[in-house]
Amino acid sequence: MASAPRATEPQLALVLGGGGARAAYQVGVLRGIAARFPHFRAPLLTGVSAGAINVAHLANHVGAWSHKIEDLMGLWRRLDFDDVFRVDTVAVVWRVMRIGLRLSVGLPPGVARAHSMVDTRPLREFLQRNLGSGDGPLPGIARNIAAGELSAVALTALNYDTGETITFVEGKAIENWERPLRKGLNIAMTVEHIMASAALPLLFSPVSIGNEWYGDGGIRLVAPLSPAVHLGADRMLVISTHFEMPPFCRLRKKGTGPPSPAVVLGALYDAVFLDQLDQDAEQIERINRLLTKLQPQDRQGLREVHTVVIRPSNDIGALASEFEERLPRAIRYFMRRFGTQEAEEQDLISTILFHRDYIEELLKLGERDAAQHEEEIAKLLAK
């Protein structure tokens, strides 16, 4: 937690993790907070993966915080499968066939390679339309920075060409930084930076920015809270989409034998995109406790960062199993062939289940969980 230049007033950072469709839960939490704390404002916004979509919207929206949240709620409630990726059977089958041919006998001449399981061009168009950016910078970010409503917004992606984790930052007086395998770059935020951060490996295609290719920022981000700390946060509200299972809880399998590829990939996604955030929050709390035992002159530039982490009180993977049949027919067929029905927790499906009924349940769950953390949030805002 090396210290960044300290602002004249406490800096609260809102940190949103990944999880695909699970990110609707974050919006429910934010709405619950806005209802209880009308003057809530976070001048630092950082996000990764699907959390980058929420962060970009909040940073780009010009208006009161409550209006930002309501508009973001509306965006998620309008969202459907075909706003994220192509779901028509012909498109899905043809893409899967090309992947199968490439892995087996090779592609025939003239047939383009498929770089992912789904075509996410609809998501790019959805974001461009709703953020009002087209191919250029998000117009509201610069206005919010100039008005003093926003200090900085940061989205993180993985550079596949170099193996480095890149945090794209737009803010006031931001300088580039570099750490081992991590960089911060001062840029003008565009939809391409959002798409890069949210490009789930294997499922979504890598995104080209400049002459380099990027993917989901959670892949190698071992310290998800570090961008907020580097930007000067001394308070953080962190919203995870990771349900914390009770100790010694076993995965409830529906059959015997080894886990299916879907179960393995779901566990991998949890480890990459969800577990690291929780572990980083625990590390910061340990450092905070150590710092309280040191005199200010002995802290070597480190500072306390007060953190509140809100995570789902219910298992989102188990909730997704109730809506599995709502998947588009072709997607559902291939997911079942992949073995998604072999466990009661649908962790893999929960990341792509962009069905409005499922999203509505996540929004409601988030609002309920915000109420349960009201006292912790009040203490954080009072610091």
Side-chain angles (χ1 to χ4, degrees), residues 59-62 68 131-132 137-146 150 170:
N60 185 61
H61 190 285
V62 177
K68 296 175 187 281
L131 295 175
L138 305 186
I141 293 180
R143 293 172 60 186
N144 282 326
I145 292 172
L150 179 67
E170 183 172 356

Side-chain angles (χ1 to χ4, degrees), residues 40 42 50 69 72-73 220 263 291 303 339 349-350 358:
F40 178 91
I69 301 302
L72 186 55
M73 286 279 290
R220 295 189 70 172
V263 173
L291 289 177
R303 67 183 185 278
I349 284 180
S350 71
Y358 173 66

Side-chain angles (χ1 to χ4, degrees), residues 42-154:
L44 296 173
L45 301 172
T46 74
V48 63
S49 194
I53 296 175
N54 291 334
V55 159
H57 178 91
L58 295 172
N60 185 61
H61 190 285
V62 177
W65 184 262
S66 59
H67 295 163
K68 296 175 187 281
I69 301 302
E70 289 303 316
D71 197 55
L72 186 55
M73 286 279 290
L75 184 148
W76 275 95
R77 283 174 166 158
R78 294 192 303 272
L79 192 67
D80 212 337
F81 287 108
D82 53 11
D83 291 315
V84 182
F85 45 78
R86 291 190 61 183
V87 298
D88 55 289
T89 301
V90 173
V92 173
V93 171
W94 175 230
R95 184 168 285 263
V96 172
M97 284 180 59
R98 283 184 289 163
I99 293 173
L101 285 171
R102 184 183 177 189
L103 292 174
S104 55
V105 297
L107 288 170
V111 177
R113 294 191 300 177
H115 299 285
S116 61
M117 294 295 294
V118 295
D119 181 351
T120 55
R121 282 178 293 183
L123 177 60
R124 177 179 285 103
E125 295 167 1
F126 181 84
L127 292 174
Q128 290 174 338
R129 184 169 63 252
N130 283 277
L131 295 175
S133 64
D135 294 327
L138 305 186
I141 293 180
R143 293 172 60 186
N144 282 326
I145 292 172
E149 293 296 320
L150 179 67
S151 296
V153 55

